[in-house]
């Protein structure tokens, strides 16, 4: 019970970030004050913990189930320390002040307490095949999101090629991109890994398939122009691979039951 509470608390900030309208707020005056490098580094580090902490907890739960409560609480404490300076160092961009850090800090504090309370819980190790599959399910979305964020941050453009969707198709694509960028697939994968599958496996498979196949399906449905060599370039292959692994973990567990 406390393990579930901990991973849900770790995943909550990514859900809240996915509901945020984003940082592209249109025109801003040239005199808008730029944040200092120190402020930017502090807030960037705090945002990275939102992406990474659920994956770290999931990997600890997979590979070190007996020591997971203690090691997970330590990881969450480090994350909490990284986020703490945001309480006293505000950060403002052209969209206005950033969301209050209280929610992230509160969630990470819940993670620490829940895992300390979970020390008495016993969890049997996963079968080796499930361990490997769930590791891939967690790491693939994490690696894809981290690379996308780094490339877009340093190059100023998103990686890959895109279809020029319009109307409701474009709105759905934007929502999917925001959810992916804030770590929703990572968080769902982490929840599934900590729970050992169950109903989360099929749900995660569907989520990853939607993320992987929505854009090519939308392009075929609308005949929208795109800048890929073929329509296959629009497929989110990492998410498709992760969906296959998520389905494989479910099929494996069904064989054992």
């Amino acid at each position: 019970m406390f393990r579930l509470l901990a991973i849900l608390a770790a995943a909550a900030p990514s859900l809240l970030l996915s509901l945020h309208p984003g940082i592209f707020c249109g025109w801003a005056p040239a005199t808008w004050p730029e944040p200092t490098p120190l402020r930017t580094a502090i807030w960037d580090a705090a945002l990275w913990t939102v992406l990474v902490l659920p994956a770290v907890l999931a990997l600890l739960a997979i590979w070190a189930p007996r020591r997971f409560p203690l090691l997970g609480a330590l990881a969450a404490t480090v994350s909490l320390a990284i986020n703490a300076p945001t309480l006293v160092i505000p950060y403002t961009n052209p969209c206005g002040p950033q969301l209050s850090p209280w929610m992230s800090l509160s969630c990470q504090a819940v993670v620490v307490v829940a895992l300390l309370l979970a020390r008495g819980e016993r969890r049997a190790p996963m079968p080796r095949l499930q361990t490997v599959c769930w590791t891939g399910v967690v790491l693939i979305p994490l690696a894809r999101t981290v690379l996308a964020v780094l490339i877009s941050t340093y190059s100023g453009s998103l990686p890959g090629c895109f279809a020029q969707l319009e109307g409701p198709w474009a709105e759905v694509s934007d929502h999917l991109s925001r959810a992916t960028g804030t770590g929703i697939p990572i968080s769902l994968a982490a929840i599934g890994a900590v729970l050992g599958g169950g109903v989360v496996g099929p749900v995660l498979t569907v989520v990853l398939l939607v993320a992987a196949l929505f854009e090519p399906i939308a392009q075929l449905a609308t005949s929208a122009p795109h800048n890929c060599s073929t329509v296959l370039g629009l497929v989110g292959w990492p998410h498709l691979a992760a969906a296959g692994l998520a389905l494989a973990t479910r099929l494996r567990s069904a064989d054992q039951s």
Side-chain angles (χ1 to χ4, degrees):
M1 174 182 175
F2 289 115
R3 293 175 183 235
L4 174 60
L5 175 61
I7 197 63
L8 290 177
S14 66
L15 174 61
L16 295 174
L17 280 176
S18 70
L19 301 176
H20 190 257
I23 63 172
F24 302 104
C25 302
W27 179 85
T31 57
W32 194 277
E34 289 289 335
T36 64
L38 177 61
R39 292 173 187 266
T40 301
I42 289 173
W43 278 82
D44 283 352
L47 289 173
W48 277 112
T49 65
V50 172
L51 285 176
V52 174
L53 181 60
V56 170
L57 295 180
L59 294 175
L60 289 173
I62 293 170
W63 290 99
R66 291 187 177 88
R67 302 180 66 186
F68 166 56
L70 183 59
L71 295 178
L74 179 61
T77 301
V78 172
S79 179
L80 196 61
I82 293 173
N83 278 262
T86 60
L87 289 174
V88 294
I89 300 178
Y91 182 87
T92 302
N93 60 27
C95 302
Q98 288 291 295
L99 292 175
S100 172
W102 281 107
M103 182 57 68
S104 293
L105 287 164
S106 300
C107 289
Q108 290 166 3
V110 170
V111 174
V112 175
V113 174
L115 287 178
L116 290 177
L117 293 174
R119 286 179 297 173
E121 297 180 356
R122 294 291 180 262
R123 180 67 58 88
M126 284 186 186
R128 182 52 57 96
L129 181 59
Q130 278 189 295
T131 298
V132 173
C133 288
W134 273 114
T135 300
V137 172
V138 172
L139 288 181
I140 290 173
L142 176 65
R144 187 210 176 274
T145 300
V146 168
L147 287 175
V149 171
L150 290 175
I151 292 173
S152 62
T153 299
Y154 292 104
S155 69
S157 61
L158 295 174
C161 54
F162 304 93
Q164 299 176 17
L165 302 174
E166 297 180 352
W169 294 99
E171 293 179 8
V172 174
S173 180
D174 288 342
H175 285 300
L176 287 174
S177 296
R178 185 178 303 124
T180 300
T182 56
I184 294 299
I186 301 169
S187 294
L188 288 178
I191 293 170
V194 171
L195 291 179
V199 70
V200 181
V203 172
L204 177 60
T205 302
V206 172
V207 170
L208 292 169
L209 285 175
V210 171
L213 300 177
F214 174 80
E215 193 156 357
I217 291 174
Q219 193 279 328
L220 292 173
T222 62
S223 299
H226 60 84
N227 59 348
C228 301
S229 57
T230 67
V231 177
L232 291 177
L234 295 172
V235 177
W237 295 105
H239 285 148
L240 192 61
L245 289 174
L247 183 60
T249 63
R250 178 59 180 171
L251 294 175
R252 178 64 177 174
S253 62
D255 290 340
Q256 292 177 339
S257 58

